[in-house]
Amino acid sequence: MTARAQSTIVRQPYGTTTAGVAVDMFTMTNANGMEVKIITYGGIITAIRVPDRYGNMANVALGFNSLHDYEAKNPYFGCIVGRFANRIANATFTLDGKTYTLAPNEGPNTLHGGNVGFDKRVWEASETPSDAGVALRLHYLSPDGEEGYPGNLDVTVVYTLTDSNALRIDYAAATDAPTVLNLTNHSYFNLAGEGMGAIFDHILMIDADRYTPVDATLIPTGELAPVAGTPFDFRVPKAIGPGQRSNHPQVVVARGYDQNFVLNRPDPHDDLLMLAARVYEPGFGRVMEVWTTEPGIQFYAGNFLDATLVGASGHIYRQSDGFCLETQRFPDAPNQPGFPSAVLRPGERYATATVFKFATD
Ligand code: GLA
């Protein structure tokens, strides 16, 4: 009988930020040899190594191989996004009659938490016991007023790698004043392998009958539009390529796929972990499923990758060389009364989960 390999988690120094803060890397390996690397800067997943249908391993997550690159020019590769993933219109919102001013960092709007979001913070990290696999606990205390958001916010993110090749992310938070919150992970995937070119042939399913159309600055209009008859209909799996080059006005305005899908859930506020999306890469046979408790998912096809970044394996990243499936509350939810709430109040516990399940076909 062959002894079953043990899952492990190993901590090692990764570098020092320009501000002089030490950053560590954790390497989690499961019993099958699947490997996930996470750094304490931004809680960034720098690599996810999974087998293809022949058993060959490759890294399917876009990223860099130095802390300097992550600090200097990261387009949100692999990071934890907060306090508010996606956009808030005109960098402002009103809660309980009080108006808050945020940092505009994309035209008039705020994107992904502002100038120094959770993706640029160094998180406290420790291995944490888990029945489900090896687990890394990241913790960050965001002070009242940080980037304009109210409330002292205590945030914990746990990454768990299971022996069934699933990477689970549990987000938890509590606040001492009413605030808004929308946490996600911004990994870019290429199931053929990072640096292997465009993801046009990937076959995508998203379980969503509707999506949230946007205006010229990518802020939702408030409408929940049907996907039927549009490039956004992924209810029956189809290749990403044709829609990514479509002349549909919503594709044109976003330069490709960059839309929030309204996941088919019985209740947008329930906390059931449900299958949201499935991606299959026919060449190597890797499959990734995304399960989440969240009501929305942003499908972004790397439209802003413009050949100015060199990735971990030494290849230039061009447009559509990776895709993101960012589980989330809907964009601009704090200003959209018709959207599921993104408000967190003292005494409440923010708790969401997203699981990336890897397999082959
Ligand atoms: C999200 C947004 C995109 C883009 C990327 C980061 O996916 O929706 O428009 O800003 O983040 O480059």
Side-chain angles (χ1 to χ4, degrees):
M1 207 176 94
T2 320
R4 190 167 161 81
Q6 288 292 311
S7 50
T8 55
I9 179 165
V10 175
R11 180 178 196 148
Q12 61 196 121
Y14 186 69
T16 305
T17 65
T18 48
V21 182
V23 172
D24 286 344
M25 169 179 272
F26 287 79
T27 302
M28 303 198 284
T29 310
N30 74 6
N32 314 314
M34 176 178 164
E35 186 184 85
V36 177
K37 289 179 179 287
I38 293 161
I39 58 173
T40 53
Y41 179 81
I44 293 171
I45 299 171
T46 62
I48 302 174
R49 292 177 60 80
V50 285
D52 66 10
R53 64 160 76 89
Y54 311 107
N56 297 319
M57 306 290 276
N59 171 24
V60 297
L62 275 61
F64 299 118
N65 49 23
S66 79
L67 179 58
H68 174 265
D69 281 358
Y70 281 112
E71 272 200 281
K73 51 190 172 191
N74 186 15
Y76 302 96
F77 289 153
C79 62
I80 298 167
V81 184
R83 293 191 187 189
F84 205 92
N86 217 306
R87 296 171 176 83
I88 295 180
N90 298 311
T92 183
F93 69 95
T94 301
L95 181 58
D96 299 341
K98 214 173 151 194
T99 298
Y100 297 92
T101 305
L102 310 169
N105 61 337
E106 191 191 56
N109 305 322
T110 188
L111 172 72
H112 291 336
N115 291 321
V116 189
F118 290 176
D119 59 297
K120 297 178 185 68
R121 305 287 175 184
V122 178
W123 294 63
E124 284 170 53
S126 57
E127 183 182 347
T128 186
S130 166
D131 292 338
V134 276
L136 171 66
R137 178 183 184 273
L138 298 176
H139 176 251
Y140 178 65
L141 202 56
S142 174
D144 180 37
E146 188 176 70
E147 295 293 316
Y149 290 95
N152 290 296
L153 188 77
D154 193 299
V155 190
T156 300
V157 176
V158 176
Y159 287 108
T160 306
L161 175 62
T162 76
D163 282 343
S164 54
N165 288 6
L167 176 61
R168 180 180 169 115
I169 313 177
D170 286 280
Y171 304 87
T175 182
D176 63 2
T179 193
V180 295
L181 189 60
N182 186 20
L183 301 176
T184 195
N185 177 276
H186 206 297
S187 287
Y188 290 59
F189 301 95
N190 184 326
L191 298 183
E194 169 274 324
M196 291 287 282
I199 45 84
F200 294 132
D201 293 341
H202 285 52
I203 310 287
L204 172 65
M205 183 283 293
I206 302 177
D207 186 14
D209 292 340
R210 294 170 299 170
Y211 74 109
T212 53
V214 292
D215 68 13
T217 67
L218 305 186
I219 294 295
T221 61
E223 189 195 352
L224 306 183
V227 296
T230 75
F232 311 115
D233 192 348
F234 286 103
R235 292 173 297 179
V236 175
K238 67 177 183 192
I240 291 169
Q244 177 69 356
R245 292 286 165 89
S246 150
N247 66 356
H248 187 286
Q250 286 290 311
V251 176
V252 173
V253 75
R255 303 184 186 186
Y257 283 118
D258 190 3
Q259 290 80 24
N260 171 61
F261 289 73
V262 179
L263 293 170
N264 293 332
R265 308 183 65 93
D267 170 359
H269 289 107
D270 69 26
D271 59 0
L272 299 174
L273 190 62
M274 293 178 66
L275 178 67
R278 184 176 193 270
V279 194
Y280 171 61
E281 195 285 311
F284 294 85
R286 292 191 184 88
V287 175
M288 184 180 81
E289 287 183 354
V290 184
W291 292 67
T292 190
T293 59
E294 289 283 26
I297 196 165
Q298 186 87 7
F299 168 45
Y300 169 63
N303 308 338
F304 297 115
L305 297 176
D306 60 359
T308 56
L309 302 176
V310 175
S313 62
H315 296 92
I316 288 172
Y317 290 145
R318 300 182 63 201
Q319 198 185 40
S320 312
D321 279 359
F323 67 89
C324 303
L325 287 164
E326 304 152 52
T327 55
Q328 59 181 357
R329 301 297 151 93
F330 300 175
D332 198 34
N335 294 309
Q336 302 269 358
F339 286 180
S341 171
V343 174
L344 183 70
R345 296 184 181 281
E348 293 174 350
R349 183 109 182 117
Y350 177 99
T352 70
T354 292
V355 186
F356 298 103
K357 296 186 182 179
F358 294 89
T360 58
D361 201 351

